[in-house]
Amino acid sequence: MLPEVRAMQGNLRCGRFSLPLDRPRVMGVLNVTPDSFSDGGRFLDRGSALEHACRMLSDGADIIDIGGESTRPGAAPTSETDELDRVIPLVEALRDECDARGVPLSVDTRKPAVMRAAIAAGASLINDVGALIAPGAIDAIAPSEVAVCLMHMRGEPATMQQVANYNDVVGEVKAFLAGRAAVCEAAGIARDRIVVDPGFGFGKTVGHNLALLRWLAEIVALGYPVAVGLSRKSTIGALTGREVGERTAGSIAAALSAVARGAAIVRVHDVRETVDALEVWRAVEGANR
Ligand code: HH2
């Protein structure tokens, strides 16, 4: 995608930040869960979570996304109390450092109570893999100034791979995201606060994920900034034959494929490597002759 076309994506309004989307942005993942598929248990201890967040900031993350519930295929739900206990103290602890660096904090949650507490604690973006479907979720966001990421998922994490059936995966995901964005706008969430995400791996086979990536420009054509999360996912494992800890190169190839088709935000575990890869990609895209 040409730099001048990307500049037309404007700014994402998220709380006290306005994030220019004239270049692809890197969202660093911080999972404070015992069971996340790639980093479960590693950052449950507050000290290691903060250390990892600071490392991602110095590695060039543009957004930090804190999650207190795993949504990997087959994951069991987390209680509201556990999620609040895991996430809110981290938002409070990271807020000043992130503010100083101009980096919005995102909270990855499906629960309205966690959304409200996260916003009160200083989060600027709510990343909801359930696209604000939970009763009360839209009401938790609408009166605030935060941005929201609406992701497509079919079914629930515990069972979603059993319902991975589509006639036209790209068209169906696009229609779902357009519908959810319209509902949010009608409820008072302005267009420049909305990000959409096709939800790679959420009720999708390898073939579905590849089709969504190849035709990502159709989702971009909706006119909302598009976020993608392919980092270390099982599709990368299926294509490369690599275990979770060895999927960085494959994940970067997927991230570059996505930004080349117009993705505005890439949600990744390997921030430094992705930032480097995007620097090279951007230099090529901006070259003159
Ligand atoms: N993927 C995961 C979690 N949240 N949010 C968005 N917007 N897009 C994604 O693709 C996405 C997401 C799953 O990855 P991860 O957080 O690493 O694992 P787990 O759910 O097991 O914690």
Side-chain angles (χ1 to χ4, degrees), residues 147-245:
V148 63
C149 180
L150 304 170
M151 200 198 78
H152 175 274
M153 168 167 62
R154 175 150 292 180
E156 282 288 309
T159 53
M160 63 192 175
Q161 291 311 105
Q162 295 154 29
V163 287
N165 306 309
Y166 304 84
N167 289 321
D168 164 18
V169 68
V170 178
E172 288 170 46
V173 168
K174 180 177 178 178
F176 171 86
L177 293 174
R180 291 308 297 160
V183 168
C184 288
E185 285 193 56
I189 304 176
R191 199 179 171 85
D192 61 355
R193 293 169 58 200
I194 298 175
V195 175
V196 297
D197 183 330
F200 290 98
F202 286 81
K204 287 147 192 127
T205 62
V206 173
H208 295 139
N209 291 321
L210 289 175
L212 280 166
L213 184 49
R214 176 157 184 213
W215 281 282
L216 193 72
E218 292 191 25
I219 311 278
V220 172
L222 286 172
Y224 301 93
V226 171
V228 297
L230 287 139
S231 180
R232 300 186 186 173
K233 284 190 176 166
S234 61
T235 290
I236 308 295
L239 297 173
T240 60
R242 303 281 179 208
E243 292 304 319
V244 169

Side-chain angles (χ1 to χ4, degrees), residues 27 29-33 35-40 65 67-73 75 108-109 127-129 149-152 157 195-202 227-233 267-269:
M27 175 188 261
V29 180
L30 178 59
N31 283 321
V32 279
T33 61
D35 55 345
S36 287
F37 78 93
S38 84
D39 50 2
D65 187 40
E69 176 184 51
S70 173
T71 47
R72 72 183 156 73
D108 185 343
T109 185
N127 173 25
D128 183 1
V129 301
C149 180
L150 304 170
M151 200 198 78
H152 175 274
V195 175
V196 297
D197 183 330
F200 290 98
F202 286 81
V228 297
L230 287 139
S231 180
R232 300 186 186 173
K233 284 190 176 166
R267 182 181 180 277
V268 303
H269 302 85

